[in-house]
Amino acid sequence: MDKLKKVLSGQDTEDRGGLSEVVETSSLSWDTRIKGFIACFAIGILCSLLGTFLLWVPRKGLYLFAVFYTFGNIASIGSTVFLMGPMKQLKRMFEPTRLIATIMVLLFFALTLCSAFWWHNKGLALIFCILQSLALTWYSLSFIPFARSFLAVLRK
């Protein structure tokens, strides 16, 4: 309660909010960062949608889907670099609370691309895309306070 009083009264100068910290650490204006985030996120969504449409192309469809879907997810995750900055993004990705989720996401990105380009295995590419989606969901939930704990309680 004391902490809340200090923050509301403006006496807490040692621990500033995340937004002010982000604004001070980036050389881009807030408007530019928002535009970059939206553009990168939109490119990610478009790549993922394009991959979904390319799924139905004969013979090469599943490979194209795996590649575009993976690049779309990478662009979507990369869009947050505009909001946080690259170093803070990397630090937050590898915090202990989301380390396993980050490793799983990166692993499934790599395995999806390997199954499409080197192993030429459509079944594995599809399985890794599904696992990639699940890993990304778990990773995303790690940024929402108590979200994963809430899901664990619901499961019981």
Side-chain angles (χ1 to χ4, degrees), residues 12-102:
D12 187 23
T13 57
E14 65 180 346
D15 186 23
R16 303 205 315 195
L19 185 59
S20 64
E21 197 176 297
V22 168
V23 170
E24 292 174 2
T25 59
S26 177
S27 61
L28 298 174
S29 71
W30 182 248
D31 189 47
T32 303
R33 286 182 288 175
I34 292 294
K35 288 177 185 174
F37 167 76
I38 291 170
C40 198
F41 193 74
I43 288 169
I45 290 173
L46 287 174
C47 281
S48 295
L49 286 173
L50 180 61
T52 302
F53 293 132
L54 291 173
L55 182 61
W56 308 110
V57 172
R59 284 187 258 184
K60 297 287 183 184
L62 191 57
Y63 301 124
L64 293 171
F65 166 72
V67 170
F68 277 97
Y69 185 75
T70 300
F71 286 145
N73 286 333
I74 291 170
S76 295
I77 286 178
S79 67
T80 58
V81 168
F82 285 99
L83 298 178
M84 289 188 232
M87 291 310 296
K88 189 169 183 180
Q89 171 75 13
L90 286 173
K91 286 178 186 175
R92 291 197 69 194
M93 284 177 72
F94 291 99
E95 287 176 351
T97 57
R98 63 184 62 92
L99 179 63
I100 294 172
T102 300

Side-chain angles (χ1 to χ4, degrees), residues 97-116:
T97 57
R98 63 184 62 92
L99 179 63
I100 294 172
T102 300
I103 290 170
M104 296 305 290
V105 167
L106 296 175
L107 177 69
F108 289 129
F109 283 166
L111 289 174
T112 302
L113 294 175
C114 285
S115 64

